[in-house]
Amino acid sequence: MATARTFRTPRAPRAFRTAVALGGAAALTLVAGCAPQGSSSASTQRTVSYWLWDANQLPAYKACAEDFEKKNPGLTIKISQVGWDDYWTKLTAAFISDTAPDVFTDHVSKFAQFADLGVLAPLDELPATKGIKNTDYQPGLGASWIGQDGHRYGAPKDWDTVALFYNKKMAKAAGISAKDLDSMTWNPRDGGTFEKTIAHLTVDRNGVRGDEPGFDKKHVRTYGLATNVDGIDNGQTQWSAFAASTGWQFTNKKVWGDHYNYDQAAFKNTIKWYYGLAKKGYLPPYEDYSDSNQPQTQLGSGKAAIAMHGSWMISTFAGLKGVDVGTALTPVGPSGHRATMMNGLADSISKHAKNKKGAEKWVAYLASNACQKTVGEHGIVFPATKAGTAVAAAAYQKDGIDTTAFTKPVADRTTFPFPITNYAADIQALMAPALEDIYANGASASEVLDRTNKQINFLFDQ
Amino acid sequence: MAIASPHRAGAHRQGAHRQDARGDGLLAAAFIAPALFGFLVFLLWPTLRGIYLSFTRFNLLTPPEWVGLDNYVRMVNDPIFWDSLRVTVVYVVMNIGVQTVVALLIAVLMQRLTQSAFVRGIVLTPYLVSNVVTGIVFLWMLDTQLGIGNQILGALGFGHIAFFGSKTWAIPTIALVNVWRHVGYTALLLFAGLQAIPKDMYEAGRIDGAGEWRMFWRISMPLLRPILALVLIMTVIGSFQVFDTVAVTTAGGPANATNVLQYYIYGAAFGRFQFGYASAMSVALLIVLSVITIVQYRLTKAGQTDLG
């Protein structure tokens, strides 16, 4: 013990110790201050960064990029694909840290906010993109991307509508023909032939159908209609086709409305009926939905007979193993017509794009018939130009997929647009829990929607 | 001379001492610098700036605009804020309640039964897994359709439970998932506290005929109090800040049933670009936590020990 106590390790000279300590502190400071500064300006002038979220579309846009690079020697397109769930978070962070992509795929539900934040470049002011006209595209697609200031912030790239995907074998077993499915009617009182159809397609664990006596709604083997909670706030693939078929509209104006109509009787009755299907056993309960049990999984596993979904899912549904999937039009509503939400994506340019010249050229190419036809050939999405749409329809047909249910509403003009207003993120944050409350907790649709609509419209009155 | 010499020598030594002290001060400053830098840059400055931003309207991309108390008025009138505060409190009560009891049980068992480092290692393992990984793994295990948890329930003849999908189960599930992750760490802290209790206390207790149960309440608990108080303060603060598990499992749903305060703040800031309002709510959380900590500190007399 005594030796241990008196023994001292030889001490390093003080100057040395101080130097080490200061060096350590300096190194830490340097590490903290050394964020990646981005590549050199010479290489950014050659590269155009481009973000998209749909993995299905990646090959099509890679093909477009290759063609573009051939036509524009010296320019390289760097495509990054980030799934929808992380896309917007990542994009927001990128805008804040000034690392945003030069060009990115944009959604109408987001662009108002981005335009408002001043992070988008007005395309009508850039030489390469100022020639983009609404008439180059399917009706309504171009107009959606004009901001309240009259500037264009997106170049239309594709469009989508919503229709029904159904299990052909189940329909046949239930004695329901493709024609029956294409001519369904709907009303919020008794659900019309649509409700009769999904009731008949619902089968409990004892094999009893939903419209037969003795149906056990607590133990359903196959639900008539698949559930989907993603995007519940705008109801694109859930309630919107029904609500709009009554003549109801989201807002007081077609675009840039400043008053929402979620408190109108037609809407409240639609929601009450729609989520009431879960109480009848024709629609799975809220709890059944999860990321691992999306509509395509429900149809693929035989848990559901019909799924209402968007045209961007055509190839996914067509590719389901062991299930022969057909498509059908949405039902005709009380207004005497069908209604399907038509939405389109566009490409936007970041205001502070590192390579703005390259970005505008790339966007002009993305918006052109040349690229849109290339995308169409892949048969994964409907390009925004008419020629591109025709190529896509032919490509789908070649794969044995009938897309009439998605294209007919466009030809018949029975579509309605995705609501474009300010405060989209706030509205989503209010509407999603409100509808979940009705669906999951059985809350009164009338009460919840009155209250929520008031909160939403309060945003516009501030 | 005879006197002066040692005096001089002493003066010399004292001078060297002063020099020494100056040198040590510099060295100390050098060693403190990184931590101080971190504290100033990552803690103090953001806190002060956060407090300033709570009085502004700020979207991060354009300069903040002074709005006075607007954000606080809005917060007081925001039913979702109050609901998320309620949800957070329910979560904290369940999380800390279960965690503390289980951790204490594990700590006492470890102290009274085994001193094995292996057992201690095992107990700590869940803490080594990141919160996000824990959340995702449990999300899969407890999935209504595919999860092994529900397969087992089904095999036992019970119906499926939507652990993360139902209003009733979501908060308890998240609370228990986080108990699983943190209980080992908490148990180790308590175990260390128990180790500090002199063994002769228990020997004396045994000689006096006290059983384990009695010794736990009469010896372990009173003497563990300061450590337990510290652990409680730390875990309650941590629990109030629950975020990652919610973000990866329920994202605040269903119908805001798991919309804990941190998640609501995050949504306001990064989802809706309302950094001013989000800052105001963060300041509110800071105040709530400060009050709870002071109250806990006082109530548990955390600063005093009964080991005299």
Side-chain angles (χ1 to χ4, degrees), chain A residues 63-309:
Chain A
C64 264
E66 277 169 24
D67 295 343
F68 176 78
E69 286 165 359
K70 267 183 222 149
K71 287 178 186 149
N72 295 276
L75 276 176
T76 312
I77 307 297
K78 194 175 160 241
I79 304 181
S80 309
Q81 183 261 327
V82 180
W84 169 270
D85 285 346
D86 301 314
Y87 188 84
W88 302 103
T89 318
K90 213 171 145 88
L91 192 65
T92 304
F95 278 127
I96 293 164
S97 58
D98 203 20
T99 53
D102 297 322
V103 181
F104 66 95
T105 305
D106 207 348
H107 193 271
V108 285
S109 69
K110 309 279 180 180
F111 110 89
Q113 189 178 37
F114 286 134
D116 202 36
L117 291 169
V119 294
L120 303 182
L123 302 186
D124 50 328
E125 288 181 353
L126 301 173
T129 50
K130 71 177 175 198
I132 292 172
K133 296 189 300 288
N134 289 349
T135 47
D136 294 344
Y137 307 99
Q138 296 283 5
L141 295 180
S144 299
W145 295 93
I146 310 285
Q148 278 171 298
D149 56 6
H151 288 297
R152 176 184 301 284
Y153 289 103
K157 65 188 297 168
D158 63 24
W159 61 266
D160 54 71
T161 52
V162 172
L164 305 171
F165 293 94
Y166 66 93
N167 182 321
K168 281 187 182 170
K169 204 171 143 195
M170 284 181 180
K172 200 175 169 198
I176 297 165
S177 71
K179 206 175 158 202
D180 294 336
L181 287 163
D182 262 338
S183 53
M184 289 188 287
T185 59
W186 172 82
N187 68 71
R189 269 172 299 104
D190 60 12
T193 58
F194 177 82
E195 185 172 329
K196 286 199 176 76
T197 306
I198 58 166
H200 195 56
L201 284 167
T202 302
V203 183
D204 73 10
R205 65 175 173 188
N206 302 317
V208 181
R209 291 189 175 276
D211 55 357
E212 289 170 355
F215 167 66
D216 179 3
K217 65 180 180 184
K218 288 244 155 53
H219 297 97
V220 177
R221 195 173 65 211
T222 300
Y223 289 95
L225 187 63
T227 184
N228 190 1
V229 175
D230 258 359
I232 189 174
D233 53 298
N234 54 57
Q236 184 173 18
T237 58
Q238 294 99 350
W239 45 260
S240 72
F242 301 102
S245 76
T246 66
W248 174 85
Q249 291 183 338
F250 278 89
T251 58
N252 55 347
K253 290 180 227 161
K254 274 212 159 152
V255 282
W256 300 112
D258 53 13
H259 184 96
Y260 271 82
N261 297 328
Y262 291 134
D263 60 347
Q264 289 184 354
F267 181 72
K268 290 198 256 186
N269 290 337
T270 304
I271 292 299
K272 203 175 150 197
W273 168 82
Y274 185 82
Y275 291 113
L277 292 175
K279 285 184 199 140
K280 294 172 189 164
Y282 307 154
L283 175 79
Y286 174 88
E287 296 83 33
D288 271 20
Y289 180 81
S290 70
D291 283 347
S292 63
N293 195 35
Q294 296 190 346
Q296 63 272 27
T297 319
Q298 295 167 45
L299 211 69
S301 63
K303 285 283 279 183
I306 297 181
M308 192 179 250
H309 222 313

Side-chain angles (χ1 to χ4, degrees), chain A residues 45-48 68-69 72-77 355 357-358 361:
Chain A
Q45 288 314 306
R46 289 199 298 269
T47 308
V48 177
F68 176 78
E69 286 165 359
N72 295 276
L75 276 176
T76 312
I77 307 297
N355 183 359
K357 284 246 152 57
K361 273 190 192 167

Side-chain angles (χ1 to χ4, degrees), chain A residues 1 8 30 61 67 107 270 295 318 381 435:
Chain A
M1 276 308 271
R8 280 169 184 229
L30 279 177
Y61 285 99
D67 295 343
H107 193 271
T270 304
V381 67
L435 291 168

Side-chain angles (χ1 to χ4, degrees), chain A residues 168 314 318 324-327 379 392-403:
Chain A
K168 281 187 182 170
I314 292 175
D324 197 4
V325 177
T327 53
Y396 280 123
Q397 196 132 37
K398 217 173 116 195
D399 291 345
I401 303 166
D402 180 11
T403 54

